[in-house]
């Protein structure tokens, strides 16, 4: 079996390569410093961050919000390892990233969204933006605050003009794709009633099944993620009222209740699911 940490980096690399396959441009990082006072922080306590490329022309009131992928951390050991990387600390993130693919600003490469306001939300909590544990262990100084980070970033974007959105599209890759499923209706609820909202999950529809050894590895892994991050309170109640919280990390158990239009893109074969 592939080591979980290595697998996380492989998926992050795949998502990066997808973005870089078309000619892109660089966008500066924005730190949500005001989020720190709300306890909405990365694993290491640093402020959350995103990259924003303003819309123009007919797309000035349209918003595409893309959630970065990068796996999860499921216990103190894996979260401590993650804490010192860009997936656990905004202090470790590069100041600029390339926007390409669905984030490109050229009509040739991105005819549907090229002139929209385009955002890439950086992923630094390790729980697909679902965690919220109030107490911080002074020994590890780990902050499990993904749900607070989600809300703080969304509020910052709303203040920057997303509150006037005519169209809004939430997307994500891998762990970010799971985020776009789990938070699809939440995203809809933050926007005006007249806004047309849709969501896209790219490689984020993880299913509960046994691996090739006959072990339910992913089920146990997600249970550890939900337990470590205190995610239960932030998972859809329509699911947690019927199943244990960790089973609500699997889209198969909750997508039927999502009211906002949702597009799902997944490979027919996935080594992560089959191990």
């Amino acid at each position: 079996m592939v080591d979980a940490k290595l697998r996380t980096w492989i998926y992050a690399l795949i998502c990066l390569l997808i973005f870089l396959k078309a000619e892109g441009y660089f966008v500066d990082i924005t730190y949500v410093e005001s989020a720190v006072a709300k306890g909405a922080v990365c694993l290491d306590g640093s402020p959350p961050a995103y990259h924003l490329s303003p819309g123009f022309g007919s797309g000035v009131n349209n918003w595409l919000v893309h959630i970065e992928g990068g796996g999860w951390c499921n216990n103190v050991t894996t979260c401590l390892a993650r804490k010192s990387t860009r997936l656990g600390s905004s202090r470790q993130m590069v100041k600029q990233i390339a926007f390409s693919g669905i984030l490109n600003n050229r009509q040739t490469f991105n005819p549907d969204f090229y002139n929209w306001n385009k955002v890439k939300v950086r992923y630094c909590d390790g729980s697909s933006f679902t965690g919220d544990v109030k107490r911080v262990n002074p020994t590890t100084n780990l902050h499990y605050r993904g749900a607070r980070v989600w809300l703080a970033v969304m509020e910052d974007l709303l203040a920057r003009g997303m509150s006037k959105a005519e169209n809004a599209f939430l997307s994500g890759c891998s762990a970010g794709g799971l985020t776009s499923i789990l938070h699809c209706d939440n995203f809809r609820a933050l926007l005006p009633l007249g806004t047309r909202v849709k969501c896209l999950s790219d490689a984020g529809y993880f299913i509960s099944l046994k691996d090739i050894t006959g072990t339910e590895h992913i089920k146990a892994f997600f249970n550890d993620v939900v337990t470590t991050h205190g995610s239960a309170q932030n998972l859809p109640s329509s699911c947690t009222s019927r199943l244990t919280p960790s089973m609500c990390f699997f889209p198969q158990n909750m997508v039927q209740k999502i009211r906002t239009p949702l597009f799902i893109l997944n490979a027919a074969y996935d080594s992560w699911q089959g191990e």
Side-chain angles (χ1 to χ4, degrees):
M1 292 177 66
V2 179
D3 177 79
K5 184 177 179 181
L6 175 59
R7 189 162 52 216
T8 293
W9 287 108
I10 290 174
Y11 269 82
L13 179 60
I14 290 172
C15 289
L16 176 63
L17 291 175
I18 290 172
F19 276 117
L20 293 178
K21 69 180 180 180
E23 183 180 345
Y25 62 106
F26 287 91
V27 178
D28 292 331
I29 197 168
T30 296
Y31 300 101
V32 189
E33 299 286 359
S34 61
V36 177
K38 304 173 186 176
V41 293
C42 299
L43 283 171
D44 71 335
S46 58
Y50 61 83
H51 302 256
L52 167 64
S53 175
F56 56 92
S58 61
V60 72
N61 288 321
N62 297 330
W63 288 75
L64 188 159
V65 179
H66 182 83
I67 310 297
E68 182 179 32
W72 310 268
C73 60
N74 65 324
N75 53 42
V76 171
T77 300
T78 57
C79 289
L80 279 174
R82 190 181 183 99
K83 174 183 167 184
S84 58
T85 73
R86 65 174 179 80
L87 292 172
S89 171
S90 61
R91 299 186 184 101
Q92 303 301 321
M93 297 173 184
V94 295
K95 307 303 181 186
Q96 292 185 325
I97 61 170
F99 269 27
S100 57
I102 198 173
L103 298 178
N104 205 300
N105 65 349
R106 294 177 60 182
Q107 190 172 10
T108 303
F109 296 119
N110 187 22
D112 296 308
F113 306 108
Y114 74 99
N115 62 354
W116 286 33
N117 295 280
K118 295 175 290 294
V119 182
K120 182 170 183 178
V121 179
R122 303 305 299 271
Y123 181 38
C124 65
D125 69 278
S127 72
S128 285
F129 297 87
T130 61
D132 194 354
V133 177
K134 183 176 181 179
R135 182 179 179 274
V136 177
N137 187 319
T139 302
T140 63
N141 196 38
L142 284 169
H143 298 71
Y144 303 114
R145 303 285 179 75
R148 297 193 201 186
V149 168
W150 160 267
L151 185 57
V153 170
M154 292 303 119
E155 288 177 342
D156 203 67
L157 294 175
L158 288 167
R160 289 176 178 265
M162 195 169 73
S163 62
K164 300 177 182 178
E166 296 173 3
N167 295 283
F169 193 39
L170 177 67
S171 71
C173 180
S174 190
L178 178 59
T179 301
S180 68
I181 294 175
L182 294 174
H183 282 290
C184 186
D185 281 342
N186 294 336
F187 184 64
R188 160 70 275 181
L190 290 169
L191 294 160
L193 290 176
T195 305
R196 292 180 291 273
V197 181
K198 294 181 174 64
C199 305
L200 165 68
S201 171
D202 182 357
Y205 196 100
F206 296 90
I207 57 177
S208 177
L209 81 174
K210 294 180 180 179
D211 59 28
I212 57 175
T213 68
T215 304
E216 292 184 301
H217 169 264
I218 190 171
K219 182 177 179 180
F221 182 84
F222 275 177
N223 182 68
D224 290 343
V225 171
V226 170
T227 301
T228 297
H229 291 267
S231 301
Q233 60 192 313
N234 297 306
L235 295 173
S237 60
S238 60
C239 180
T240 56
S241 63
R242 300 179 291 108
L243 302 169
T244 57
S246 61
M247 293 306 293
C248 298
F249 228 61
F250 292 103
Q252 70 199 71
N253 295 322
M254 42 80 67
V255 290
Q256 298 89 344
K257 299 293 184 178
I258 294 177
R259 299 181 299 276
T260 308
L262 170 66
F263 301 94
I264 295 171
L265 174 64
N266 251 59
Y269 300 96
D270 189 333
S271 62
W272 202 96
Q273 291 274 204
E275 293 168 353

